[in-house]
Amino acid sequence: MTTTKPPTWQTLAATKRTTNVQKMPKEWRLPTSLTSTFTSTSTQSVLSIPRTSNILSDRELELTEKYDATALVEMMSSGKVKSVDVVTAFCKRAAVAQQCVNCLTEIMFEEAIERAGVCDGFVEREGRGMGALHGLPISLKDSFNIKGTQATIGYITFLDHAPSPQNSNLVTLLQAAGAIIHCKTNLPQTMMAADTHNNLFGRTLNPHNLSLTAGGSSGGEAALLAMRGSVLGIATDIAGSCRIPALCCGLKSFKPSAGRVPFGGKTAPGRLGSPASIVPVIGPMGRSVRDAELVLSTVCTGKTWDIDESVLNVPWRSVEPVSRPLVFGLVRGHAKRPLHPPVARALHAAATKLKEAGHRIVLLDHLVPDLWDCAVLAWKYFLLDPRKTDRGFVDAAGEPLVPSIAKTSFRELDAWEPSLDGLFDLNVERWKVLKKYHDLVVENGLDAVLTVGYQGTAPPHDQYGVTLYTVLQNLLNYPSGMFPFLKANKELDAPFFKSDAAYEPPYNAEACEGLPAHIQVMGKPMQDEELMEILKVVEGIVAED
Amino acid sequence: MTTTKPPTWQTLAATKRTTNVQKMPKEWRLPTSLTSTFTSTSTQSVLSIPRTSNILSDRELELTEKYDATALVEMMSSGKVKSVDVVTAFCKRAAVAQQCVNCLTEIMFEEAIERAGVCDGFVEREGRGMGALHGLPISLKDSFNIKGTQATIGYITFLDHAPSPQNSNLVTLLQAAGAIIHCKTNLPQTMMAADTHNNLFGRTLNPHNLSLTAGGSSGGEAALLAMRGSVLGIATDIAGSCRIPALCCGLKSFKPSAGRVPFGGKTAPGRLGSPASIVPVIGPMGRSVRDAELVLSTVCTGKTWDIDESVLNVPWRSVEPVSRPLVFGLVRGHAKRPLHPPVARALHAAATKLKEAGHRIVLLDHLVPDLWDCAVLAWKYFLLDPRKTDRGFVDAAGEPLVPSIAKTSFRELDAWEPSLDGLFDLNVERWKVLKKYHDLVVENGLDAVLTVGYQGTAPPHDQYGVTLYTVLQNLLNYPSGMFPFLKANKELDAPFFKSDAAYEPPYNAEACEGLPAHIQVMGKPMQDEELMEILKVVEGIVAED
């Protein structure tokens, strides 16, 4: 009798990745001479590679660069543009993106192009589109299930799982509206890290500078979108996962209030049934506020509950555009993580522009509940599982923890043990924070709060640290939008440098030159619709020149 | 040095009750010869006492008997009727009710009549009402805080509490809409029992038959409303508390989806911060579906979050009246608690009438998740507090537990110990039930489910037992409406008697003769508005002849 040694996790991972490469047509592949330079220590930008690779035609470059999703859907629904052409263009570009920044987990180019043909046929026959997302290629974080495709979410041990027997509920809704899923995207081991890195698919790199993080957990999505290998992506967010990658890669994203977007039928990175007061939400990532609204208004209808018992079942409301001066609270950071000059300048410039446009700014710096304490409180909810199920998934395959996981949690919680008794107290503590923030918003007549999502621009790999500026909105369950705004510019940023500030991670004006800075705008709970209108105002005001 | 022996809990309770008696004008008091017959062992009905007592004028009898809240508000807002007259009439009648069934905890007659004068002055000056609840007397369960009034919720130890420094948020909203609170009503010790009984205020009796329970936990409210000492009451519900008293006393009530009605600022009977997946809700109790809608549409607005950070912040939607045949699921009970003949007949008659009116009935008896298991699961959530804070409140004053508390819980949970690990599993188990129920509703195209709220009519004191038929809607978080329908009639009920059924509590055709039977109609989560329209249809169809 002979026994075969089971394959190592390294072998298993390599096999999976090879399968993925084979799903990319040879003519869409970049030369090894080029791809060999795309390393996690290279500081090059790969944003121009799709243009210089000669894989996409001029028309394909135009289709992938010039329009947002709303415009593409209009063009395809009216028959002006074929979905096959749009989807093919984005598939090509996604293939290029994958070779540059390693952002994909599952590739469905062939199926997507086939489906695009069906969409085009529908328009020819019916003279209209199939739905609000007619013919639109959409990319999804790997945790979504798509019938017939794996959802390993980066765990080696999940390679054993059969292809998903059915769709995540959101996928069904998107497809029913005419959307076409062309790929799924990379995410961190356990999904609780700000670096998109796992032992199965490896690390996703930042297209602006390969030596930097793409952010996490929806970093594959952001890197793909920044490369314009997709025009609209679907991410998730429990501590900033749809906002952190957006700010790292220069995209817009929207984190809705909990329960609005159907979450059912996803692959979970940890234990089901958490009693935490913070629950993950699904949010769009892309190029325009109206695209975010297009997706949310499409999937949040009075009928959504019919296919997802877990959804809150609150249909998207139609609200009036903003027609009055708005009042914005302004929070300029926390002493433990002072804003790096590019981000401080972006925030300052945004506030100034808003004021110039007639809106009012109310400084809240010293009035808000301590942001660090809030983040520590939030993080406790993520550590509730006494069985540490997510670590079990890692250990099951003998794979090591990726370095960023330790970096993302709070050192003061290393010895913290969850308990049922303590959970009551956590909830009481959370309600106090909710009340304080609520009272500030109401007493100051705020429409939204202007702040940042991170202290800096995208940092080097594994240096992101704690998600101080994004987890607050999850703790409060306030919807929030992230905007890229301005770019690091050492001369313009210099006046915002504070010699006494302990920048963490370190601020390096040379290293971040040209990287996207950002702002974050948070609204009021369940007023996702009102926030969307406010974001349109902000979008108009902070539009880059 | 002399030491004074601290007063016994009996003395403390007696003092509080005496204070209450003194708030009732002498001319509103019934003779002792009469009140001495109002005992918990007497089987008499006291429903006619307000008419025979000569305390209310004919006009006052008319005002308290002939109209629902909506009609009264219309009359008062247009100046046809004075709020002073309406409020005075209901105060008188509440005083009579209190002397018959012991339903009140706090009496605010004087302040209410004074406030009514202000409302009348407003109409005279402005030619319109102050708001959607202009001049309307409203009664509230004792757990609501009203500035300057105690909220002891029946705990002797809470007598130490100063009068509430501020209103519950809902109270503020009701008052802002012009409502006038004339009294607060009795509830059970710990609020987790189906008998309204505590050592501070004593036991509330059922006006239909004093030897029967008024139900709980909002039993004071129901007894008062049945006596027409109030036209609209505000109750709470975590396992049936706004529906059980309604079915026991022959009233309508509505349990909304969780979070819709602002819950903040109430006095809690147990520990704050529970991580349970079932949360208490506030619901109206009264005479008409349109009254329930009036209250809910008034307090659930886009501005409600401004005064209550805990509200879900989903404004009441305006939906179209039902204009098509509806599909009702029908659940006819559980083998462990077979329906008593009067209730079985009411349910049968309601289903028959709905069918006759063109609606469709789908029998779900053997398809729904086991109701008993669901109730046990739900009850575990109520036992999560490792500190047993509610028992601590009881013990603090040395008062004994009232008998009904033991009767309301499940024997199989006597040795059950909550744990954080177990809470994850509870939540998973709950999601399975949610999914099963959801799928039944969707696959059968149901608009609502027709069922009962209890197996019988109001049982004798301390015999109600487990809340099998009401806690399901809390576990599922489905909105639900309770309707009185038909009255026990031994001849008509006889065909529904099953000789092999183990009726629990025992069925006694003689004892329940003439008592109100009922039906319950549950809707879909967050479709409170749609359910309200369905209830209007049901109301029209089951209206008593």
Side-chain angles (χ1 to χ4, degrees):
Chain A
M1 202 173 106
T2 56
T3 55
T4 321
K5 214 173 152 189
T8 62
W9 67 259
Q10 291 90 338
T11 306
L12 292 167
T15 308
K16 173 74 178 171
R17 293 196 223 184
T18 305
T19 314
N20 265 351
V21 172
Q22 286 160 353
K23 289 186 181 162
M24 292 193 289
K26 287 216 168 56
E27 57 276 22
W28 296 1
R29 297 202 197 156
L30 300 172
T32 316
S33 58
L34 192 59
T35 55
S36 62
T37 71
F38 301 152
T39 67
S40 65
T41 52
S42 161
T43 58
Q44 69 178 303
S45 161
V46 292
L47 290 168
S48 62
I49 301 290
R51 279 212 154 253
T52 57
S53 66
N54 286 324
I55 289 171
L56 283 82
S57 68
D58 285 350
R59 174 69 172 143
E60 287 168 339
L61 289 169
E62 187 198 323
L63 285 174
T64 50
E65 291 179 6
K66 197 173 163 186
Y67 309 102
D68 67 358
T70 307
L72 286 171
V73 168
E74 280 169 13
M75 285 155 51
M76 292 186 289
S77 298
S78 64
K80 272 185 216 149
V81 170
K82 291 217 174 304
S83 174
V84 161
D85 294 337
V86 172
V87 172
T88 302
F90 278 104
C91 287
K92 281 187 175 182
R93 199 153 178 148
V96 173
Q98 167 64 2
Q99 297 168 78
C100 295
V101 294
N102 190 41
C103 50
L104 305 186
T105 57
E106 299 292 332
I107 287 172
M108 289 154 277
F109 298 155
E110 209 179 311
E111 302 90 321
I113 294 167
E114 193 185 316
R115 178 75 189 148
V118 175
C119 290
D120 289 332
F122 185 93
V123 174
E124 277 165 33
R125 266 199 326 279
E126 309 282 338
R128 61 179 173 89
M130 293 175 80
L133 303 172
H134 173 84
L136 186 74
I138 281 188
S139 48
L140 302 173
K141 194 174 186 171
D142 193 62
S143 51
F144 287 90
N145 285 297
I146 297 167
K147 198 174 167 176
T149 303
Q150 271 198 312
T152 57
I153 62 171
Y155 285 129
I156 302 285
T157 192
F158 281 19
L159 279 170
D160 285 347
H161 294 191
S164 306
Q166 49 194 5
N167 285 334
S168 295
N169 296 332
L170 181 66
V171 168
T172 300
L173 288 169
L174 292 172
Q175 289 178 339
I180 297 169
I181 293 148
H182 66 309
C183 54
K184 293 207 299 179
T185 54
N186 205 15
L187 68 196
Q189 187 187 51
T190 78
M191 287 173 66
M192 290 307 288
D195 281 78
T196 291
H197 183 201
N198 61 66
N199 295 313
L200 176 48
F201 298 107
R203 191 193 282 282
T204 297
L205 310 179
N206 190 317
H208 294 270
N209 175 332
L210 299 180
S211 72
L212 306 180
T213 184
S217 66
S218 314
E221 203 54 51
L224 175 68
L225 285 159
M227 293 293 288
R228 297 188 179 268
S230 181
V231 64
L232 186 60
I234 307 292
T236 64
D237 194 316
I238 197 170
S241 284
C242 103
R243 291 165 289 147
I244 293 165
L247 72 88
C248 285
C249 295
L251 294 155
K252 294 171 187 171
S253 73
F254 187 87
K255 180 200 82 69
S257 303
R260 297 218 58 178
V261 180
F263 200 85
K266 291 180 74 272
T267 295
R271 185 167 175 192
L272 296 176
S274 172
S277 293
I278 301 180
V279 298
V281 302
I282 292 170
M285 196 189 285
R287 298 187 191 168
S288 67
V289 173
R290 66 176 190 166
D291 281 0
E293 189 182 25
L294 174 68
V295 170
L296 294 178
S297 63
T298 300
V299 300
C300 304
T301 74
K303 292 281 176 197
T304 303
W305 183 80
D306 284 359
I307 69 148
D308 193 325
E309 74 283 357
S310 72
V311 79
L312 192 52
N313 205 18
V314 176
W316 193 259
R317 287 174 290 117
S318 170
V319 300
E320 293 294 311
V322 175
S323 60
R324 60 179 172 83
L326 296 167
V327 185
F328 291 87
L330 177 63
V331 180
R332 297 178 303 179
H334 188 273
K336 287 198 179 172
R337 291 294 181 271
L339 303 190
H340 290 198
V343 172
R345 179 169 67 90
L347 186 62
H348 178 78
T352 306
K353 282 196 165 203
L354 286 167
K355 261 200 283 195
E356 286 167 2
H359 305 290
R360 198 151 66 80
I361 304 287
V362 180
L363 194 59
L364 300 181
D365 285 355
H366 302 292
L367 302 172
V368 290
D370 186 275
L371 207 56
W372 190 271
D373 294 345
C374 288
V376 171
L377 171 61
W379 213 261
K380 288 179 180 171
Y381 283 113
F382 305 143
L383 300 174
L384 285 183
D385 177 13
R387 296 189 200 162
K388 302 193 191 313
T389 303
D390 55 351
R391 297 306 166 91
F393 291 147
V394 173
D395 296 343
E399 56 170 320
L401 278 182
V402 299
S404 51
I405 288 184
K407 292 282 184 65
T408 314
S409 48
F410 287 83
R411 286 290 67 75
E412 50 264 67
L413 295 179
D414 284 350
W416 185 78
E417 287 290 339
S419 73
L420 180 56
D421 194 63
L423 182 51
F424 278 78
D425 297 336
L426 274 193
N427 287 339
V428 169
E429 205 184 326
R430 175 174 173 264
W431 277 110
K432 286 182 189 161
V433 172
L434 248 65
K435 171 85 176 126
K436 275 191 195 170
Y437 229 106
H438 164 273
D439 290 355
L440 270 181
V441 168
V442 173
E443 284 160 16
N444 289 288
L446 304 183
D447 294 296
V449 173
L450 175 65
T451 183
V452 299
Y454 186 58
Q455 59 269 28
T457 53
H461 297 299
D462 299 331
Q463 293 198 23
Y464 191 94
V466 297
T467 63
L468 183 65
Y469 292 112
T470 46
V471 76
L472 175 73
Q473 292 76 25
N474 303 89
L475 182 74
L476 296 174
N477 190 20
Y478 285 14
S480 198
M482 193 68 75
F483 279 99
F485 181 47
L486 303 183
K487 288 186 161 50
N489 177 314
K490 60 186 168 194
E491 278 175 38
L492 299 176
D493 295 340
F496 291 86
F497 181 81
K498 289 184 180 165
S499 55
D500 59 344
Y503 293 116
E504 167 60 40
Y507 168 60
N508 181 333
E510 299 294 339
C512 68
E513 184 71 11
L515 289 176
H518 71 276
I519 54 168
Q520 183 174 200
V521 180
M522 58 192 256
K524 304 183 201 179
M526 294 302 287
Q527 299 202 355
D528 301 82
E529 295 87 343
E530 285 79 0
L531 178 59
M532 205 60 92
E533 293 304 325
I534 292 168
L535 293 180
K536 288 177 191 168
V537 171
V538 176
E539 186 176 48
I541 286 168
V542 303
E544 289 183 72
D545 307 304
Chain B
M1 201 175 105
T2 58
T3 54
T4 321
K5 214 173 154 187
T8 62
W9 67 259
Q10 290 90 340
T11 307
L12 292 168
T15 307
K16 173 71 179 173
R17 293 197 222 185
T18 304
T19 314
N20 266 351
V21 172
Q22 286 161 353
K23 288 184 182 165
M24 293 194 288
K26 287 216 168 56
E27 57 277 21
W28 296 2
R29 298 202 198 156
L30 299 172
T32 317
S33 58
L34 192 60
T35 56
S36 61
T37 70
F38 301 151
T39 66
S40 64
T41 52
S42 162
T43 58
Q44 68 179 305
S45 159
V46 292
L47 290 167
S48 62
I49 301 291
R51 279 212 154 252
T52 57
S53 67
N54 287 323
I55 289 171
L56 283 81
S57 68
D58 286 349
R59 174 69 172 145
E60 286 167 339
L61 289 170
E62 187 200 322
L63 286 173
T64 50
E65 291 178 6
K66 197 173 164 186
Y67 309 102
D68 68 357
T70 307
L72 286 172
V73 169
E74 279 169 15
M75 285 155 51
M76 293 185 288
S77 298
S78 63
K80 272 185 215 149
V81 170
K82 289 216 174 311
S83 173
V84 162
D85 294 337
V86 172
V87 172
T88 302
F90 278 103
C91 287
K92 281 186 174 181
R93 198 152 178 150
V96 173
Q98 166 64 3
Q99 295 168 79
C100 295
V101 293
N102 191 41
C103 51
L104 305 185
T105 57
E106 300 291 332
I107 287 172
M108 290 154 277
F109 299 155
E110 210 178 310
E111 302 88 322
I113 295 167
E114 193 186 315
R115 179 73 190 151
V118 175
C119 289
D120 289 331
F122 185 93
V123 175
E124 277 165 36
R125 267 198 328 277
E126 309 283 336
R128 61 179 174 90
M130 293 174 80
L133 303 172
H134 172 85
L136 185 73
I138 281 188
S139 47
L140 303 173
K141 194 173 187 172
D142 194 61
S143 51
F144 287 90
N145 285 297
I146 298 168
K147 197 174 167 176
T149 303
Q150 271 196 312
T152 56
I153 61 171
Y155 285 129
I156 302 286
T157 192
F158 281 19
L159 279 170
D160 284 348
H161 294 191
S164 307
Q166 50 193 6
N167 285 334
S168 295
N169 296 332
L170 181 66
V171 169
T172 300
L173 288 169
L174 292 172
Q175 290 179 339
I180 298 169
I181 292 148
H182 65 309
C183 54
K184 291 207 300 180
T185 55
N186 204 16
L187 69 195
Q189 186 188 52
T190 77
M191 286 172 67
M192 289 309 287
D195 281 77
T196 292
H197 182 200
N198 61 66
N199 296 312
L200 176 47
F201 297 109
R203 190 192 282 281
T204 296
L205 310 179
N206 190 317
H208 294 270
N209 176 332
L210 299 181
S211 71
L212 306 179
T213 184
S217 69
S218 313
E221 203 55 53
L224 175 67
L225 286 159
M227 294 292 287
R228 299 188 178 267
S230 182
V231 65
L232 187 60
I234 306 292
T236 63
D237 196 315
I238 196 170
S241 284
C242 103
R243 289 165 290 147
I244 293 166
L247 70 89
C248 285
C249 296
L251 295 156
K252 293 171 186 169
S253 72
F254 187 89
K255 180 202 83 68
S257 302
R260 297 217 59 177
V261 180
F263 200 86
K266 291 180 73 273
T267 295
R271 187 168 174 191
L272 296 176
S274 172
S277 292
I278 302 180
V279 298
V281 302
I282 291 170
M285 197 188 283
R287 298 186 191 169
S288 67
V289 173
R290 67 175 190 166
D291 282 0
E293 189 182 27
L294 175 67
V295 170
L296 294 178
S297 62
T298 301
V299 300
C300 304
T301 74
K303 292 281 178 198
T304 303
W305 182 81
D306 284 0
I307 70 149
D308 193 323
E309 74 282 359
S310 72
V311 79
L312 191 53
N313 206 18
V314 176
W316 193 260
R317 286 174 291 117
S318 173
V319 300
E320 293 295 311
V322 175
S323 59
R324 61 178 170 85
L326 296 167
V327 185
F328 291 87
L330 177 63
V331 180
R332 296 178 303 178
H334 188 275
K336 286 197 181 174
R337 291 294 182 273
L339 302 191
H340 291 198
V343 172
R345 179 168 67 90
L347 186 61
H348 178 79
T352 306
K353 282 195 165 204
L354 286 168
K355 262 199 282 195
E356 286 166 2
H359 304 290
R360 197 151 66 82
I361 304 288
V362 180
L363 194 59
L364 301 180
D365 285 355
H366 302 291
L367 302 173
V368 291
D370 186 274
L371 207 56
W372 190 270
D373 294 346
C374 288
V376 171
L377 170 61
W379 213 262
K380 288 179 180 170
Y381 283 114
F382 306 143
L383 300 174
L384 285 182
D385 177 13
R387 294 189 200 162
K388 302 192 191 313
T389 304
D390 55 351
R391 298 306 166 93
F393 291 147
V394 173
D395 296 344
E399 54 169 321
L401 277 184
V402 299
S404 52
I405 288 184
K407 293 281 183 66
T408 315
S409 48
F410 287 83
R411 286 290 67 73
E412 49 265 67
L413 295 178
D414 283 352
W416 185 78
E417 287 290 338
S419 73
L420 180 56
D421 195 62
L423 182 52
F424 279 77
D425 297 335
L426 274 193
N427 287 339
V428 170
E429 206 184 325
R430 175 174 173 264
W431 277 110
K432 285 182 188 160
V433 173
L434 249 65
K435 171 84 176 126
K436 277 192 193 168
Y437 230 107
H438 164 273
D439 289 355
L440 268 183
V441 169
V442 173
E443 284 160 16
N444 290 286
L446 304 182
D447 294 296
V449 174
L450 175 65
T451 183
V452 299
Y454 185 58
Q455 60 267 32
T457 53
H461 298 299
D462 299 333
Q463 294 199 23
Y464 191 94
V466 298
T467 64
L468 183 65
Y469 292 112
T470 46
V471 75
L472 176 73
Q473 293 76 26
N474 303 90
L475 182 74
L476 296 174
N477 191 20
Y478 284 15
S480 199
M482 193 67 76
F483 280 100
F485 180 48
L486 303 185
K487 286 187 162 48
N489 177 313
K490 59 187 170 193
E491 279 175 37
L492 299 176
D493 295 341
F496 291 86
F497 181 82
K498 291 183 178 165
S499 55
D500 59 344
Y503 292 117
E504 168 61 39
Y507 167 60
N508 182 331
E510 299 293 337
C512 68
E513 184 70 13
L515 288 177
H518 71 277
I519 54 169
Q520 183 174 199
V521 181
M522 58 193 256
K524 304 184 202 179
M526 294 302 287
Q527 298 202 358
D528 302 82
E529 296 87 343
E530 284 80 358
L531 178 59
M532 204 62 92
E533 294 303 325
I534 293 168
L535 293 180
K536 288 177 191 168
V537 171
V538 177
E539 186 176 48
I541 286 169
V542 303
E544 290 184 71
D545 307 304

